[in-house]
Amino acid sequence: MFDRGWGAAYGENAMPSRVLVSRELGEVFKVLAHPDRIRLIEELRGGEKDVNTLAASLDLPGPRVSQHLGLLRLHRIVAERREGRHHFYHLVHPEFAAWIVEGLEFIEGRMTGIGESEINSARKLWSVPAS
């Protein structure tokens, strides 16, 4: 007998849409698996910003910010607009940032070493549109 793969084991033929959607969500979760990218998404919730502004506000090196933005762009989470030599980025779906804030509920009970005040502080900061 041969191995037909995980898709066959989970009914890929019966429900291909569930498999495709699960794969896509898995890819989005992989992209979100880095704290810098989560912070970038939250920083872009208020609108378009350039790499230098993002780097300064997040206290990260510009090349590192550019690398993360490239990955977010590849996965269609952010879009880029060029104006001369400047590159501006914005969220394709601004509500994506709100989705992350809602995710704070899932981590509250799991976090060790981080108190409720830190979570509430992040929630307040991330819930107010950036200026």
Side-chain angles (χ1 to χ4, degrees):
M1 237 166 126
F2 64 92
D3 181 12
R4 295 181 2 209
W6 73 270
Y10 290 98
E12 185 171 349
N13 294 333
M15 299 201 176
S17 60
R18 286 178 67 182
V19 172
L20 293 173
V21 169
S22 297
R23 284 183 188 160
E24 187 62 27
L25 273 173
E27 289 300 314
V28 169
F29 291 145
K30 281 186 210 175
V31 172
L32 292 177
H34 196 287
D36 290 346
R37 291 191 285 269
I38 291 172
R39 291 175 59 211
L40 278 167
I41 290 167
E42 287 308 319
E43 193 64 30
L44 290 170
R45 77 190 177 288
E48 180 177 84
K49 294 185 179 171
D50 69 344
V51 174
N52 293 331
T53 301
L54 289 166
S57 63
L58 296 174
D59 195 27
L60 294 172
R64 185 161 144 187
V65 170
S66 293
Q67 185 178 30
H68 287 307
L69 287 168
L71 186 63
L72 291 169
R73 192 170 55 111
L74 178 69
H75 288 277
R76 297 176 308 277
I77 294 171
V78 300
E80 175 187 32
R81 178 180 67 83
R82 294 181 185 197
E83 190 174 293
R85 294 177 57 185
H86 296 280
H87 299 246
F88 295 89
Y89 293 87
H90 63 274
L91 293 172
V92 172
H93 299 287
E95 62 275 6
F96 198 73
W99 188 57
I100 290 174
V101 172
E102 289 176 22
L104 290 174
E105 288 182 38
F106 295 102
I107 64 167
E108 284 180 289
R110 304 183 50 221
M111 299 182 72
T112 58
I114 297 179
E116 188 176 325
S117 64
E118 286 89 355
I119 293 171
N120 287 334
S121 176
R123 183 178 283 120
K124 285 179 187 175
L125 178 67
W126 289 355
S127 296
V128 177
S131 52

